[in-house]
């Protein structure tokens, strides 16, 4: 296999035109077939032609234009294929010294770059159609709205290897830049830029030898010690046990009741909706099935999907907030879900929810295995301790989290004892929730800003609220109630440590 | 029991002329709401409770006008060594600290009334929409100067995301 990250321009998988045009091709074939079906049945069964008078295909056949029509369809398909072939020829990518570049477009040329030091993660996606051809789409995630780079399609094995190489180079570029900044504050950029190519060439050769063996593609074949696999039964349970199900059950019961009373017309009206809702379940299951989480040198690896599979790698330094939560209905089973905030996946995108999930459902032990992967800077034992204090809260145990004053009872009658914060290394942990329990971690080096606020009721009770702002996502880290002076202190601590840790982080 | 949230130090205040922007804003809002209320009242054939709506409107905007100077005075900012701290609000008080290195973009905006009064608004964008920080009603020269200073500070303390 040739090395795709050697700094030269490369083309995509030769089957790309077919894979990208595949949907269009299938659609055309389906239309032609649907129209021909009657005709075929007619030919085979010798049914007198009469029902299909308005059908375009039978019209064509009756006028004897069959040959011309076939030629037309063929010419159209030829044009489409030629067009896709041309776009394939014009699409090239290159892994340079400081950026991954993609140039594409036939009429409107486009040149897109993802700077290696700004990469937020690299994902490999395989649709069912692409899997048949052994192809995969490589997605390079960078911060910004719709700024991601899609390399579609590559050989599966090549995509996997390229991902490792890009992540490895990205890691080194960041380290080299930090070193250069430390050594020569004046000529930082120039030094890093000129020193890189020679170095990288040697490293790339070494890596090429290292990775000549085909990469493991199957999500099941990841490093065994740190793997968490989501059992299908548990996944189904977690999907079914949601407030949405209660609505569905209520709907079905009401339907049954009405039918017993003789209102059969309702069946016709409501049953399609109910089936639609069930497809929602199966879609969610298909997407999250065979879910695995594992650690690698480049970051957390997440693999999922039944038919269309994806495998994502999230470098640990690109995680802005981690939320562990337990909805009320999961509590009897002791299940938890882990979500993260990260740049490059805005909240306005439809797949935001999907993209934020790291562990769709897992036991406390699974959580204990995944959390250290997401927060490598914090000691695993402390994370465990905090997680236990969240899951098995007891009034007599020594307090690990800060306590809100008694006055908070008026605003949060049940949850007030649970609202609190704690520090784990360079990470702040915020606990809250009585009905839906949650524990949120924010690495202080990733904090964007800190706010403290006080409304009239909070003022009257001598309380305040503290919010930690990270990049947008599903998690909004905040402390709903804290004593006034404690809140002011926390605000000062968070603000100053955020500055300190961010500057230390930038220096490597 | 009632205690006010505050952090130690001296706040810089915005221009006293900013009060006029708040007042004009309230008056425009009042005129617009009055038009809507009158339209609704007319649609309901001048029923008696229309008077209540008008009264509520007058009282609500009256309070806003009375409080306007205090609201303008409640806005404060402070430039510490490594971050910018902003304070806003009387009843709903909010204090935000934004590290200089986190500022992605600094906007200077001027509306028609601001321009007439020689004022500008400074707006800061970070990678989080939660930050939501702006200093309204700064004298135009000061706003430009502050922007240049903040950009220079952000450049020296640049951190990734």
């Amino acid at each position: 296999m040739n090395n795709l990250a050697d700094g030269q321009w490369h083309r995509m998988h030769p089957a790309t035109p077919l894979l990208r045009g595949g949907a269009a091709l299938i659609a055309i074939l389906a239309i032609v077939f649907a129209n021909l079906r009657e005709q075929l049945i007619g030919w085979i069964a010798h049914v007198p032609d009469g029902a299909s008078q308005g059908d375009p295909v039978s019209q064509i056949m009756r006028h004897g234009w069959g040959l011309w029509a076939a030629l037309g369809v063929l010419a159209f398909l030829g044009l489409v294929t030629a067009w896709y072939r041309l776009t394939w020829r014009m699409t090239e990518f290159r892994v340079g010294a400081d950026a991954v570049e993609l140039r594409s477009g036939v009429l409107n040329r486009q040149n897109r770059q993802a700077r290696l030091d700004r990469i937020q993660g690299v994902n490999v996606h395989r649709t069912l159609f692409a899997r048949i051809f052994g192809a995969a789409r490589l997605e390079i995630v960078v911060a910004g709205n719709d700024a991601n780079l899609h390399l579609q399609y590559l050989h599966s094995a090549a995509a996997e290897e390229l991902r490792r190489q890009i992540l490895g180079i990205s890691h080194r570029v960041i380290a080299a830049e930090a070193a250069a900044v430390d050594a020569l504050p004046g000529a930082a950029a120039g030094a890093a830029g000129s020193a890189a190519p020679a170095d990288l060439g040697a490293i790339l050769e070494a890596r090429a030898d290292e990775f000549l063996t085909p990469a493991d593609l199957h999500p099941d074949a990841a490093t065994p010690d740190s793997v968490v696999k989501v059992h299908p039964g548990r996944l189904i349970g977690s999907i079914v046990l949601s407030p949405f199900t209660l609505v569905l059950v209520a709907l079905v019961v009401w339907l049954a009741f009405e039918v017993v009373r003789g209102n059969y017309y309702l069946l016709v009206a409501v049953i399609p909706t109910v089936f639609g809702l069930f497809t929602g379940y199966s879609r969610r299951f298909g997407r999250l099935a065979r879910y695995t989480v594992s650690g690698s040198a480049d970051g957390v690896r997440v693999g999922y999907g039944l038919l269309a599979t994806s495998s994502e790698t999230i470098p640990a330094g690109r995680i802005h907030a981690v939320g562990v939560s337990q909805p009320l209905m999961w509590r009897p089973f002791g299940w938890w879900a882990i979500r993260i905030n990260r740049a490059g996946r805005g909240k306005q995108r439809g797949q935001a929810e999907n993209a934020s999930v790291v562990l769709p459902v897992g036991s406390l032990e699974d959580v204990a295995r995944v959390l250290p992967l997401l927060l490598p800077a914090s000691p695993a034992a402390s994370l465990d301790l905090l997680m236990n204090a969240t899951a098995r809260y007891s009034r007599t145990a020594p307090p690990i989290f800060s306590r809100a004053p008694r006055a908070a009872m008026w605003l949060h009658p049940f949850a007030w004892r649970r609202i609190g914060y704690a520090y784990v290394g360079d990470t702040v942990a915020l606990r809250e929730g009585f009905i839906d329990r949650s524990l949120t971690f924010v690495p202080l080096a990733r904090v964007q800003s800190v706010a403290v606020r006080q409304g009239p009721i909070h003022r009257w009770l001598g309380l305040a609220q503290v919010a930690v702002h990270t990049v947008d996502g599903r998690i909004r880290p905040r402390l709903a109630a804290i004593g006034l002076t404690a809140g002011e202190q926390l605000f000062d601590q968070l603000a100053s440590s955020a500055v300190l840790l961010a500057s230390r982080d930038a220096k490597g | 029991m009632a205690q006010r949230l505050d952090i130690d130090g001296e706040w810089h205040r915005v221009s006293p002329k900013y009060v006029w922007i708040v007042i004009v804003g309230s008056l425009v809002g009042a005129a617009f709401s009055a038009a809507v209320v009158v339209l609704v009242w007319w649609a309901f054939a001048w029923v008696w409770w229309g008077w209540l709506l008008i009264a509520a409107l007058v009282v609500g905007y009256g309070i806003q006008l009375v409080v306007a100077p205090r609201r303008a005075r409640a806005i404060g900012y402070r430039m510490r060594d490594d971050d910018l701290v902003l304070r806003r609000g009387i009843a709903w008080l909010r204090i935000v600290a934004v590290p200089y290195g986190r500022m992605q973009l600094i906007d200077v905006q001027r509306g028609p009334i601001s321009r007439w009064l020689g004022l500008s608004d400074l707006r800061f964008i970070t990678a989080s929409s939660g930050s939501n920080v702006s200093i309204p009603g700064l004298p135009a020269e000061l706003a430009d100067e502050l922007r240049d200073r903040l950009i220079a500070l952000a450049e020296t303390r640049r951190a990734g995301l």
Side-chain angles (χ1 to χ4, degrees), chain A residues 361-436:
Chain A
V361 60
S363 65
L364 214 53
E365 291 81 58
D366 295 341
V367 171
R369 251 175 274 163
V370 175
L371 273 184
L373 299 178
L374 299 172
L375 302 160
S378 310
S382 317
L383 292 175
D384 257 12
L385 202 67
L386 293 179
M387 204 47 229
N388 265 315
T390 308
R392 295 190 258 272
Y393 172 81
S394 113
R395 248 184 247 191
T396 51
I400 297 169
F401 288 91
S402 73
R403 285 271 186 93
R406 251 198 130 65
M409 202 165 69
W410 299 103
L411 279 171
H412 306 276
F414 300 110
W416 71 275
R417 286 175 202 277
R418 293 169 171 276
I419 298 174
Y421 72 92
Y423 289 105
V424 228
D426 297 340
T427 302
V428 65
L430 310 169
R431 176 179 71 175
E432 66 176 2
F434 174 76
I435 295 169
D436 288 352

Side-chain angles (χ1 to χ4, degrees), chain A residues 445 449-450 452 454 459 470 488, chain B residues 6 90 93 95 97 102 128 131:
Chain A
S449 58
V450 186
V452 57
Q454 188 185 45
R459 182 170 312 158
T470 69
E488 288 168 0
Chain B
D6 202 3
I90 314 163
L93 185 61
I95 301 178
R102 294 302 188 200
S128 166
S131 302

Side-chain angles (χ1 to χ4, degrees), chain A residues 123 125 127 137 139 141 146 148 150 283-284 287-288 304 308 310 312 339-340 342 344-358 473-474:
Chain A
N123 307 330
H125 300 289
T127 59
R137 175 164 63 93
E139 182 187 24
V141 184
D146 198 25
N148 295 356
H150 297 272
R283 193 160 336 97
R284 195 169 154 74
R287 205 174 52 208
L288 294 175
Y304 55 88
S310 291
E312 306 193 358
R339 293 192 174 80
I340 58 167
R342 53 172 151 156
R345 302 284 196 154
K347 60 178 172 185
Q348 60 273 62
R349 286 185 50 163
Q351 311 156 324
E353 157 66 20
N354 190 22
S356 72
V357 172
V358 170
R474 282 293 303 258

Side-chain angles (χ1 to χ4, degrees), chain A residues 116-448:
Chain A
L116 282 166
D117 55 348
R118 293 288 152 86
I119 287 175
Q120 305 288 322
V122 182
N123 307 330
V124 177
H125 300 289
R126 282 179 279 262
T127 59
L128 183 59
F129 201 57
R131 275 171 79 190
I132 296 169
F133 289 85
R137 175 164 63 93
L138 194 75
E139 182 187 24
I140 300 168
V141 184
V142 288
N145 195 13
D146 198 25
N148 295 356
L149 216 68
H150 297 272
L151 305 184
Q152 57 186 8
Y153 287 86
L154 300 169
H155 272 290
S156 271
E160 198 72 20
E161 187 187 323
L162 190 59
R163 158 161 71 179
R164 287 204 220 184
Q165 287 174 327
I166 288 174
L167 284 168
I169 300 169
S170 157
H171 200 72
R172 272 192 297 282
V173 167
I174 294 168
E177 273 177 8
V181 168
D182 263 2
L184 314 156
S194 61
D199 253 349
L200 280 174
I203 294 162
L204 283 176
E205 267 175 31
R207 283 195 81 86
D209 292 336
E210 215 175 296
F211 287 126
L212 266 179
T213 44
D216 278 326
L217 296 173
H218 207 263
D220 291 358
T223 26
D225 54 329
S226 53
V227 158
V228 170
K229 280 188 202 173
V230 178
H231 190 270
R234 180 178 284 176
L235 183 63
I236 291 171
S238 74
I239 293 170
V240 169
L241 287 174
S242 66
F244 176 70
T245 304
L246 294 182
V247 176
L248 194 65
V249 167
L251 197 67
V252 169
V253 167
W254 170 74
L255 197 66
F257 184 68
E258 288 291 325
V259 167
V260 166
R261 281 175 48 187
N263 297 330
Y264 292 107
Y265 66 91
L266 268 175
L267 277 180
V268 185
V270 180
I271 278 196
T273 321
V274 173
F275 270 105
L277 297 176
F278 273 110
T279 20
Y281 282 131
S282 61
R283 193 160 336 97
R284 195 169 154 74
F285 177 77
R287 205 174 52 208
L288 294 175
R290 297 198 302 161
Y291 206 101
T292 61
V293 186
S294 60
S296 75
D298 302 319
V300 185
R301 289 193 54 164
V302 169
Y304 55 88
L306 194 62
L307 299 177
T309 63
S310 291
S311 141
E312 306 193 358
T313 306
I314 313 155
R318 301 306 196 190
I319 293 168
H320 291 244
V322 179
V324 189
S325 61
Q326 181 181 58
L328 180 65
M329 291 169 85
W330 287 9
R331 200 183 299 172
F333 306 93
W335 293 341
W336 298 81
I338 302 182
R339 293 192 174 80
I340 58 167
N341 277 1
R342 53 172 151 156
R345 302 284 196 154
K347 60 178 172 185
Q348 60 273 62
R349 286 185 50 163
Q351 311 156 324
E353 157 66 20
N354 190 22
S356 72
V357 172
V358 170
L359 183 68
V361 60
S363 65
L364 214 53
E365 291 81 58
D366 295 341
V367 171
R369 251 175 274 163
V370 175
L371 273 184
L373 299 178
L374 299 172
L375 302 160
S378 310
S382 317
L383 292 175
D384 257 12
L385 202 67
L386 293 179
M387 204 47 229
N388 265 315
T390 308
R392 295 190 258 272
Y393 172 81
S394 113
R395 248 184 247 191
T396 51
I400 297 169
F401 288 91
S402 73
R403 285 271 186 93
R406 251 198 130 65
M409 202 165 69
W410 299 103
L411 279 171
H412 306 276
F414 300 110
W416 71 275
R417 286 175 202 277
R418 293 169 171 276
I419 298 174
Y421 72 92
Y423 289 105
V424 228
D426 297 340
T427 302
V428 65
L430 310 169
R431 176 179 71 175
E432 66 176 2
F434 174 76
I435 295 169
D436 288 352
R437 293 173 177 170
S438 79
L439 178 62
T440 306
F441 297 94
V442 185
L444 288 168
R446 305 263 92 79
V447 169
Q448 300 294 319

